Amino acid sequence: MFYLVCYDVVLDRRRNKVAHLLEGYGMRVQKSVFECVLNADQRDLLQRKLSRYIKPEEDQVRFYPLSPRYRKKVLVLGQQPQRAVDDVTFIV
């Protein structure tokens, strides 16, 4: 499944850890937004790992699932990522 993972983390140290972790799971498309292709086990593992780095009372991470149908309708204005996300691209 394709996910748009967005985060808002207050402290730089925690934010850097979250970003570094997400870099291993997907492609950064904005400073706090990643596109990730994850199966259910990978998503659960990523959520558990992220929960170690964030403070729920201050920070937030959101997973938005996007079906192939709606991925085709994504409109990007401005600079495009260097590579396209493909369901078979990421091996975690």
Side-chain angles (χ1 to χ4, degrees):
M1 175 67 76
F2 180 91
Y3 291 91
L4 195 64
V5 182
C6 313
Y7 60 89
D8 184 10
V9 178
V10 175
L11 293 180
D12 287 343
R13 185 170 187 228
R14 290 196 311 259
R15 186 171 44 250
N16 290 338
K17 287 180 180 182
V18 166
H20 182 72
L21 177 60
L22 286 168
E23 285 171 349
Y25 283 87
M27 181 176 68
R28 177 179 255 160
V29 293
Q30 292 185 358
K31 290 189 179 195
S32 61
V33 180
F34 283 77
E35 292 178 342
C36 303
V37 177
L38 307 168
N39 63 35
D41 291 336
Q42 291 167 330
R43 185 199 60 223
D44 292 345
L45 178 61
L46 177 57
Q47 288 174 346
R48 284 194 305 273
K49 288 180 177 181
L50 285 167
S51 69
R52 292 186 224 152
Y53 296 136
I54 68 165
K55 282 190 147 185
E57 62 276 4
E58 296 178 5
D59 305 326
Q60 185 179 108
V61 179
R62 293 175 176 242
F63 286 71
Y64 293 99
L66 291 176
S67 69
R69 176 180 175 204
Y70 286 102
R71 281 177 48 201
K72 292 177 185 174
K73 295 183 179 195
V74 172
L75 172 65
V76 178
L77 302 176
Q79 192 172 11
Q80 295 280 350
Q82 293 298 320
R83 62 182 195 263
V85 174
D86 184 1
D87 288 39
V88 296
T89 302
F90 296 104
I91 301 171
V92 179

